[in-house]
């Protein structure tokens, strides 16, 4: 059992590392590159592809959360064992910080590089479009709610098996296309915390929104999922145990 939990936590840390390095890395290194910058669309795709690729790489080990809001929302829906919640969140935060650290080392190798916001999230003066607190809060809450609903729905019994990573990755891409101008897109407290730690200053002071709004949206989605889906569709994703229980 302990070995199984260790594998799960390693998978969550690696997945969140890749999410931060891939998504935030695209924003920091490539979004505004002179003449050939990938822009908002490229960054949105980078986040979606990072989740999609790791969902298939390690999702069968841990369930592929890579996000404290996803873990909490799945717990609220009855899809994540309570004993996994805090260890998963700790592993996700560790992976996010290591990913941001690796990105910092890479980015600082460019002469004259200035970190600026370092792909951090913000509202008011720190919002890319200068959107106010209420607009940013509602954006993060609603988009996290629908992200969790998509995750729960596409992994429930009766959904097409083996394809959940595709709609989940595309949903995260769409979420970024909507909200990069508003908050620089969080829907993931771990993804927000790690870059803000390196950006410092007001970005750290505004982190509360990027914990409260996504977690609240995820909890509401978990409750709605219990009403929307049949009770036997809401099961903990114990992929490793299920594999071991199959007859030879």
């Amino acid at each position: 059992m302990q070995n199984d939990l260790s594998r799960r936590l390693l998978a969550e840390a690696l997945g969140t590392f890749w999410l931060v390095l891939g998504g935030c890395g695209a924003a920091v290194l490539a979004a505004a590159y002179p003449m050939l910058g990938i822009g908002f669309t490229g960054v949105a795709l980078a986040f979606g592809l990072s989740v999609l690729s790791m969902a298939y790489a390690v999702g069968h080990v841990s369930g592929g959360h890579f996000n404290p809001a996803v873990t909490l929302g799945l717990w609220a829906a009855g899809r994540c064992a309570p004993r996994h919640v805090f260890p998963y969140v700790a592993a996700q935060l560790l992976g996010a910080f290591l990913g941001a650290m690796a990105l910092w080392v890479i980015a600082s190798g460019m002469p004259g590089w200035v970190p600026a916001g370092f792909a951090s999230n913000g509202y008011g003066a720190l919002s890319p479009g200068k959107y106010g607190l209420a607009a940013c809060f509602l954006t993060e809450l609603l988009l996290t709610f629908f992200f969790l609903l998509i995750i729960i729905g596409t992994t429930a019994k009766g959904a097409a098996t083996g394809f959940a990573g595709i709609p989940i990755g595309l949903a995260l891409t769409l979420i970024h296309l909507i909200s990069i101008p508003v908050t620089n897109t969080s829907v993931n407290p771990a993804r927000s915390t790690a870059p803000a730690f390196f950006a410092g200053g007001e970005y750290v002071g505004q982190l509360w929104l990027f914990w409260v709004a996504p977690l609240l949206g995820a909890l509401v989605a978990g409750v709605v999922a219990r009403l929307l889906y049949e009770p036997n569709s809401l099961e903990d994703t114990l992929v490793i145990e299920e594999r071991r229980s199959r007859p030879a």
Side-chain angles (χ1 to χ4, degrees), residues 219-240:
L219 285 172
V220 175
V223 173
V224 171
R226 287 182 178 269
L227 302 174
L228 186 62
Y229 300 106
E230 293 294 328
N232 64 0
S233 294
L234 302 177
E235 298 179 349
D236 184 26
T237 308
L238 299 176
V239 180
I240 294 175

PDB file of all heavy atoms in Angstrom, residues 219-240:
ATOM      1  N   LEU A 219     -15.299  22.369  -5.633  1.00  0.00           N
ATOM      2  CA  LEU A 219     -16.220  21.768  -4.662  1.00  0.00           C
ATOM      3  C   LEU A 219     -17.655  21.782  -5.175  1.00  0.00           C
ATOM      4  O   LEU A 219     -18.384  20.797  -5.032  1.00  0.00           O
ATOM      5  CB  LEU A 219     -16.126  22.521  -3.326  1.00  0.00           C
ATOM      6  CG  LEU A 219     -14.885  22.245  -2.480  1.00  0.00           C
ATOM      7  CD1 LEU A 219     -14.839  23.194  -1.289  1.00  0.00           C
ATOM      8  CD2 LEU A 219     -14.873  20.793  -1.995  1.00  0.00           C
ATOM      9  N   VAL A 220     -18.071  22.898  -5.765  1.00  0.00           N
ATOM     10  CA  VAL A 220     -19.422  22.978  -6.322  1.00  0.00           C
ATOM     11  C   VAL A 220     -19.598  21.951  -7.438  1.00  0.00           C
ATOM     12  O   VAL A 220     -20.636  21.276  -7.537  1.00  0.00           O
ATOM     13  CB  VAL A 220     -19.721  24.402  -6.826  1.00  0.00           C
ATOM     14  CG1 VAL A 220     -21.074  24.451  -7.523  1.00  0.00           C
ATOM     15  CG2 VAL A 220     -19.685  25.400  -5.675  1.00  0.00           C
ATOM     16  N   ALA A 221     -18.591  21.795  -8.283  1.00  0.00           N
ATOM     17  CA  ALA A 221     -18.662  20.807  -9.363  1.00  0.00           C
ATOM     18  C   ALA A 221     -18.797  19.397  -8.809  1.00  0.00           C
ATOM     19  O   ALA A 221     -19.545  18.575  -9.355  1.00  0.00           O
ATOM     20  CB  ALA A 221     -17.425  20.907 -10.245  1.00  0.00           C
ATOM     21  N   GLY A 222     -18.079  19.104  -7.728  1.00  0.00           N
ATOM     22  CA  GLY A 222     -18.181  17.784  -7.115  1.00  0.00           C
ATOM     23  C   GLY A 222     -19.576  17.502  -6.604  1.00  0.00           C
ATOM     24  O   GLY A 222     -20.104  16.390  -6.768  1.00  0.00           O
ATOM     25  N   VAL A 223     -20.202  18.507  -6.001  1.00  0.00           N
ATOM     26  CA  VAL A 223     -21.568  18.346  -5.497  1.00  0.00           C
ATOM     27  C   VAL A 223     -22.548  18.164  -6.653  1.00  0.00           C
ATOM     28  O   VAL A 223     -23.420  17.291  -6.622  1.00  0.00           O
ATOM     29  CB  VAL A 223     -21.969  19.560  -4.631  1.00  0.00           C
ATOM     30  CG1 VAL A 223     -23.441  19.487  -4.253  1.00  0.00           C
ATOM     31  CG2 VAL A 223     -21.095  19.638  -3.377  1.00  0.00           C
ATOM     32  N   VAL A 224     -22.400  18.977  -7.691  1.00  0.00           N
ATOM     33  CA  VAL A 224     -23.284  18.863  -8.857  1.00  0.00           C
ATOM     34  C   VAL A 224     -23.121  17.496  -9.520  1.00  0.00           C
ATOM     35  O   VAL A 224     -24.099  16.889  -9.981  1.00  0.00           O
ATOM     36  CB  VAL A 224     -22.996  20.003  -9.859  1.00  0.00           C
ATOM     37  CG1 VAL A 224     -23.738  19.775 -11.176  1.00  0.00           C
ATOM     38  CG2 VAL A 224     -23.396  21.347  -9.257  1.00  0.00           C
ATOM     39  N   ALA A 225     -21.895  16.988  -9.562  1.00  0.00           N
ATOM     40  CA  ALA A 225     -21.647  15.692 -10.187  1.00  0.00           C
ATOM     41  C   ALA A 225     -22.389  14.574  -9.470  1.00  0.00           C
ATOM     42  O   ALA A 225     -22.858  13.619 -10.094  1.00  0.00           O
ATOM     43  CB  ALA A 225     -20.150  15.395 -10.199  1.00  0.00           C
ATOM     44  N   ARG A 226     -22.528  14.685  -8.168  1.00  0.00           N
ATOM     45  CA  ARG A 226     -23.267  13.669  -7.414  1.00  0.00           C
ATOM     46  C   ARG A 226     -24.747  13.664  -7.807  1.00  0.00           C
ATOM     47  O   ARG A 226     -25.418  12.632  -7.733  1.00  0.00           O
ATOM     48  CB  ARG A 226     -23.116  13.909  -5.917  1.00  0.00           C
ATOM     49  CG  ARG A 226     -21.738  13.553  -5.370  1.00  0.00           C
ATOM     50  CD  ARG A 226     -21.677  13.776  -3.870  1.00  0.00           C
ATOM     51  NE  ARG A 226     -20.391  13.398  -3.318  1.00  0.00           N
ATOM     52  CZ  ARG A 226     -20.090  12.194  -2.839  1.00  0.00           C
ATOM     53  NH1 ARG A 226     -21.004  11.231  -2.873  1.00  0.00           N
ATOM     54  NH2 ARG A 226     -18.905  11.940  -2.330  1.00  0.00           N
ATOM     55  N   LEU A 227     -25.256  14.817  -8.212  1.00  0.00           N
ATOM     56  CA  LEU A 227     -26.647  14.914  -8.655  1.00  0.00           C
ATOM     57  C   LEU A 227     -26.808  14.523 -10.115  1.00  0.00           C
ATOM     58  O   LEU A 227     -27.842  13.993 -10.523  1.00  0.00           O
ATOM     59  CB  LEU A 227     -27.155  16.350  -8.459  1.00  0.00           C
ATOM     60  CG  LEU A 227     -27.088  16.917  -7.045  1.00  0.00           C
ATOM     61  CD1 LEU A 227     -27.481  18.393  -7.055  1.00  0.00           C
ATOM     62  CD2 LEU A 227     -27.979  16.135  -6.101  1.00  0.00           C
ATOM     63  N   LEU A 228     -25.781  14.776 -10.907  1.00  0.00           N
ATOM     64  CA  LEU A 228     -25.860  14.606 -12.354  1.00  0.00           C
ATOM     65  C   LEU A 228     -25.624  13.171 -12.791  1.00  0.00           C
ATOM     66  O   LEU A 228     -26.271  12.673 -13.718  1.00  0.00           O
ATOM     67  CB  LEU A 228     -24.845  15.534 -13.030  1.00  0.00           C
ATOM     68  CG  LEU A 228     -24.856  15.614 -14.554  1.00  0.00           C
ATOM     69  CD1 LEU A 228     -26.195  16.136 -15.056  1.00  0.00           C
ATOM     70  CD2 LEU A 228     -23.724  16.531 -15.028  1.00  0.00           C
ATOM     71  N   TYR A 229     -24.682  12.486 -12.136  1.00  0.00           N
ATOM     72  CA  TYR A 229     -24.303  11.145 -12.550  1.00  0.00           C
ATOM     73  C   TYR A 229     -24.858  10.106 -11.585  1.00  0.00           C
ATOM     74  O   TYR A 229     -25.120  10.394 -10.416  1.00  0.00           O
ATOM     75  CB  TYR A 229     -22.773  11.028 -12.635  1.00  0.00           C
ATOM     76  CG  TYR A 229     -22.172  11.988 -13.627  1.00  0.00           C
ATOM     77  CD1 TYR A 229     -21.482  13.113 -13.202  1.00  0.00           C
ATOM     78  CD2 TYR A 229     -22.317  11.786 -14.990  1.00  0.00           C
ATOM     79  CE1 TYR A 229     -20.948  14.011 -14.103  1.00  0.00           C
ATOM     80  CE2 TYR A 229     -21.776  12.669 -15.913  1.00  0.00           C
ATOM     81  CZ  TYR A 229     -21.093  13.782 -15.459  1.00  0.00           C
ATOM     82  OH  TYR A 229     -20.569  14.669 -16.363  1.00  0.00           O
ATOM     83  N   GLU A 230     -25.009   8.904 -12.088  1.00  0.00           N
ATOM     84  CA  GLU A 230     -25.479   7.814 -11.259  1.00  0.00           C
ATOM     85  C   GLU A 230     -24.460   7.532 -10.159  1.00  0.00           C
ATOM     86  O   GLU A 230     -23.248   7.634 -10.384  1.00  0.00           O
ATOM     87  CB  GLU A 230     -25.667   6.546 -12.105  1.00  0.00           C
ATOM     88  CG  GLU A 230     -26.791   6.635 -13.121  1.00  0.00           C
ATOM     89  CD  GLU A 230     -28.150   6.739 -12.460  1.00  0.00           C
ATOM     90  OE1 GLU A 230     -28.323   6.172 -11.363  1.00  0.00           O
ATOM     91  OE2 GLU A 230     -29.023   7.413 -13.038  1.00  0.00           O
ATOM     92  N   PRO A 231     -24.952   7.151  -8.950  1.00  0.00           N
ATOM     93  CA  PRO A 231     -24.013   6.904  -7.842  1.00  0.00           C
ATOM     94  C   PRO A 231     -22.931   5.897  -8.176  1.00  0.00           C
ATOM     95  O   PRO A 231     -21.795   6.043  -7.764  1.00  0.00           O
ATOM     96  CB  PRO A 231     -24.933   6.383  -6.730  1.00  0.00           C
ATOM     97  CG  PRO A 231     -26.256   6.980  -7.040  1.00  0.00           C
ATOM     98  CD  PRO A 231     -26.341   7.027  -8.537  1.00  0.00           C
ATOM     99  N   ASN A 232     -23.252   4.863  -8.976  1.00  0.00           N
ATOM    100  CA  ASN A 232     -22.228   3.870  -9.286  1.00  0.00           C
ATOM    101  C   ASN A 232     -21.207   4.370 -10.293  1.00  0.00           C
ATOM    102  O   ASN A 232     -20.279   3.663 -10.646  1.00  0.00           O
ATOM    103  CB  ASN A 232     -22.860   2.562  -9.776  1.00  0.00           C
ATOM    104  CG  ASN A 232     -23.618   2.737 -11.081  1.00  0.00           C
ATOM    105  OD1 ASN A 232     -23.682   3.839 -11.637  1.00  0.00           O
ATOM    106  ND2 ASN A 232     -24.192   1.649 -11.569  1.00  0.00           N
ATOM    107  N   SER A 233     -21.408   5.609 -10.798  1.00  0.00           N
ATOM    108  CA  SER A 233     -20.409   6.197 -11.681  1.00  0.00           C
ATOM    109  C   SER A 233     -19.357   6.967 -10.900  1.00  0.00           C
ATOM    110  O   SER A 233     -18.353   7.375 -11.454  1.00  0.00           O
ATOM    111  CB  SER A 233     -21.075   7.157 -12.672  1.00  0.00           C
ATOM    112  OG  SER A 233     -21.922   6.445 -13.538  1.00  0.00           O
ATOM    113  N   LEU A 234     -19.605   7.175  -9.613  1.00  0.00           N
ATOM    114  CA  LEU A 234     -18.706   7.983  -8.804  1.00  0.00           C
ATOM    115  C   LEU A 234     -17.874   7.078  -7.918  1.00  0.00           C
ATOM    116  O   LEU A 234     -18.264   6.717  -6.812  1.00  0.00           O
ATOM    117  CB  LEU A 234     -19.510   8.981  -7.959  1.00  0.00           C
ATOM    118  CG  LEU A 234     -20.405   9.924  -8.757  1.00  0.00           C
ATOM    119  CD1 LEU A 234     -21.202  10.793  -7.821  1.00  0.00           C
ATOM    120  CD2 LEU A 234     -19.573  10.777  -9.693  1.00  0.00           C
ATOM    121  N   GLU A 235     -16.741   6.667  -8.445  1.00  0.00           N
ATOM    122  CA  GLU A 235     -15.866   5.763  -7.723  1.00  0.00           C
ATOM    123  C   GLU A 235     -14.455   6.307  -7.721  1.00  0.00           C
ATOM    124  O   GLU A 235     -14.032   6.977  -8.662  1.00  0.00           O
ATOM    125  CB  GLU A 235     -15.867   4.371  -8.375  1.00  0.00           C
ATOM    126  CG  GLU A 235     -17.251   3.707  -8.354  1.00  0.00           C
ATOM    127  CD  GLU A 235     -17.231   2.358  -9.025  1.00  0.00           C
ATOM    128  OE1 GLU A 235     -16.207   2.048  -9.686  1.00  0.00           O
ATOM    129  OE2 GLU A 235     -18.218   1.626  -8.896  1.00  0.00           O
ATOM    130  N   ASP A 236     -13.729   5.974  -6.664  1.00  0.00           N
ATOM    131  CA  ASP A 236     -12.336   6.404  -6.599  1.00  0.00           C
ATOM    132  C   ASP A 236     -11.541   5.755  -7.725  1.00  0.00           C
ATOM    133  O   ASP A 236     -11.742   4.575  -8.033  1.00  0.00           O
ATOM    134  CB  ASP A 236     -11.761   5.997  -5.243  1.00  0.00           C
ATOM    135  CG  ASP A 236     -10.348   6.496  -5.043  1.00  0.00           C
ATOM    136  OD1 ASP A 236      -9.986   7.510  -5.663  1.00  0.00           O
ATOM    137  OD2 ASP A 236      -9.610   5.875  -4.264  1.00  0.00           O
ATOM    138  N   THR A 237     -10.658   6.513  -8.341  1.00  0.00           N
ATOM    139  CA  THR A 237      -9.862   5.997  -9.452  1.00  0.00           C
ATOM    140  C   THR A 237      -8.666   5.235  -8.907  1.00  0.00           C
ATOM    141  O   THR A 237      -7.566   5.761  -8.779  1.00  0.00           O
ATOM    142  CB  THR A 237      -9.394   7.142 -10.369  1.00  0.00           C
ATOM    143  OG1 THR A 237     -10.529   7.919 -10.723  1.00  0.00           O
ATOM    144  CG2 THR A 237      -8.753   6.593 -11.634  1.00  0.00           C
ATOM    145  N   LEU A 238      -8.886   3.991  -8.539  1.00  0.00           N
ATOM    146  CA  LEU A 238      -7.826   3.160  -7.997  1.00  0.00           C
ATOM    147  C   LEU A 238      -7.301   2.260  -9.113  1.00  0.00           C
ATOM    148  O   LEU A 238      -7.533   1.058  -9.143  1.00  0.00           O
ATOM    149  CB  LEU A 238      -8.343   2.333  -6.820  1.00  0.00           C
ATOM    150  CG  LEU A 238      -8.868   3.152  -5.624  1.00  0.00           C
ATOM    151  CD1 LEU A 238      -9.443   2.226  -4.566  1.00  0.00           C
ATOM    152  CD2 LEU A 238      -7.762   3.996  -5.032  1.00  0.00           C
ATOM    153  N   VAL A 239      -6.598   2.867 -10.039  1.00  0.00           N
ATOM    154  CA  VAL A 239      -6.220   2.153 -11.266  1.00  0.00           C
ATOM    155  C   VAL A 239      -5.276   1.001 -10.964  1.00  0.00           C
ATOM    156  O   VAL A 239      -5.424  -0.099 -11.493  1.00  0.00           O
ATOM    157  CB  VAL A 239      -5.576   3.137 -12.265  1.00  0.00           C
ATOM    158  CG1 VAL A 239      -5.173   2.409 -13.535  1.00  0.00           C
ATOM    159  CG2 VAL A 239      -6.541   4.262 -12.575  1.00  0.00           C
ATOM    160  N   ILE A 240      -4.309   1.242 -10.101  1.00  0.00           N
ATOM    161  CA  ILE A 240      -3.321   0.193  -9.816  1.00  0.00           C
ATOM    162  C   ILE A 240      -3.992  -0.998  -9.144  1.00  0.00           C
ATOM    163  O   ILE A 240      -3.784  -2.149  -9.527  1.00  0.00           O
ATOM    164  CB  ILE A 240      -2.196   0.752  -8.918  1.00  0.00           C
ATOM    165  CG1 ILE A 240      -1.414   1.817  -9.687  1.00  0.00           C
ATOM    166  CG2 ILE A 240      -1.271  -0.363  -8.466  1.00  0.00           C
ATOM    167  CD1 ILE A 240      -0.358   2.511  -8.874  1.00  0.00           C
TER     168      ILE A 240
END
